[in-house]
Amino acid sequence: MRKPFVAGNWKMNTDSRSSVELAQGVAKGASGLAGEKVTVAVIPPFVYLQSVVNAVRSTGVAVGAQDLYIESKGAFTGEISPAMLKDVGCNYVLCGHSERRHVLGESDEFVGKKVTAAIGGGLLPILCVGELLSERDGGQTEAVVARNLKTGLAGLGTDKMSAVTIAYEPVWAIGTGRTATPQQAQEVHEFIRGLMADMFGKKLAEETRILYGGSANAGNAKELMSQKDVDGLLVGGASLKVDDFVKMIQASA
Ligand code: PEP
């Protein structure tokens, strides 16, 4: 039985005060669910990680980072290592979010190195995969998702793979208000689970949580979550509003 997982990616939003208030609001609203019935993570900007970790300590809400670097230390100006994230109390880390792939130019190979570095540093990576609108229209959705997954998970054995969560995030649905229909999400999630079974065996495929992301909100969370292979939600915009995010956690429970 896969425990539902709802994660809020705050992207480059909030400030020192509102990040703590948002984290406290989520912890209060999700009390009794977070960490018990639902895995809940908030994913603030790097500079607010420590204060958000402090704000949600002992509440059942976990904290994730939006990115990491592949080396453990050294002359990499501006970058953040897995050990640094672990040191401030982070458990999760996004790898290959579409904005990093398509705005910052990260390749599948680089994302794969990030997944490996995250696991090596004791973090739980959330590997984001998904196609552009032109790729969907060109009938390439499965090919793109398969490439993202195969390269993103290259070199991982079954033991390491159990640390990974997958997030299917069609790029055309992120921040656009245009959600994939529950059926569109289910089709790709089923495809991903099948691919996981080919790569890592059926048992691991059944245990792996596959989140949907792309304009998920309080109004569509329940229907998305009712799909057989949708195990959770990676939420951008709607995670910045306590009430909406808490409703999504409740809908997923
Ligand atoms: C995201 O940033 O991962 C995301 C899904 O954003 P939004 O919910 O705003 O589409």
Side-chain angles (χ1 to χ4, degrees):
M1 186 62 187
R2 300 181 292 270
K3 188 191 272 192
F5 186 175
V6 181
N9 172 18
W10 297 354
K11 311 195 190 198
M12 201 171 70
N13 292 299
T14 69
D15 57 24
S16 52
R17 191 168 138 182
S18 62
S19 58
V20 168
E21 285 172 357
L22 180 53
Q24 286 169 333
V26 170
K28 189 161 175 240
S31 141
L33 293 176
E36 293 173 36
K37 295 200 167 70
V38 185
T39 302
V40 176
V42 291
I43 309 181
F46 284 134
V47 288
Y48 307 128
L49 277 171
Q50 185 70 77
S51 46
V52 167
V53 165
N54 294 342
V56 300
R57 201 178 298 285
S58 308
T59 64
V61 174
V63 180
Q66 298 177 15
D67 188 30
L68 84 175
Y69 193 58
I70 59 176
E71 299 292 346
S72 54
K73 63 176 180 174
F76 303 102
T77 303
E79 296 298 333
I80 304 289
S81 73
M84 290 170 178
L85 296 179
K86 201 69 195 157
D87 185 41
V88 296
C90 257
N91 289 318
Y92 292 93
V93 62
L94 297 179
C95 295
H97 187 277
S98 75
E99 286 144 22
R100 299 221 54 95
R101 291 177 188 270
H102 299 292
V103 182
L104 283 305
E106 289 188 7
S107 66
D108 280 313
E109 287 72 20
F110 192 42
V111 172
K113 287 183 185 166
K114 290 190 173 195
V115 172
T116 303
I119 296 173
L123 295 162
L124 302 168
I126 302 172
L127 171 63
C128 304
V129 303
E131 80 288 1
L132 297 163
L133 184 57
S134 56
E135 292 167 334
R136 173 161 281 263
D137 290 345
Q140 293 173 295
T141 299
E142 292 190 353
V144 171
V145 167
R147 192 195 64 222
N148 291 162
L149 280 172
K150 285 184 181 156
T151 317
L153 301 173
L156 293 190
T158 308
D159 54 328
K160 296 223 168 95
M161 182 55 211
S162 57
V164 180
T165 299
I166 308 292
Y168 169 57
E169 298 209 300
V171 182
W172 47 271
I174 299 179
T176 59
R178 185 179 161 188
T179 324
T181 64
Q183 293 71 27
Q184 282 173 322
Q186 169 57 27
E187 273 171 28
V188 181
H189 282 229
E190 194 175 339
F191 170 73
I192 292 172
R193 204 174 304 285
L195 204 64
M196 294 277 106
D198 293 344
M199 292 169 71
F200 300 101
K202 200 163 172 8
K203 181 170 181 290
L204 194 120
E206 284 304 318
E207 287 166 4
T208 301
R209 289 184 290 186
I210 307 173
L211 318 186
Y212 168 80
S215 298
N217 58 44
N220 58 28
K222 208 172 181 97
E223 217 192 333
L224 285 162
M225 285 300 295
S226 70
Q227 300 301 308
K228 181 167 130 320
D229 289 294
V230 177
D231 306 315
L233 302 167
L234 179 53
V235 188
S239 73
L240 295 169
K241 296 181 206 126
V242 171
D243 288 353
D244 287 10
F245 192 57
V246 167
K247 278 189 195 134
M248 298 173 83
I249 294 165
Q250 289 164 342
S252 303

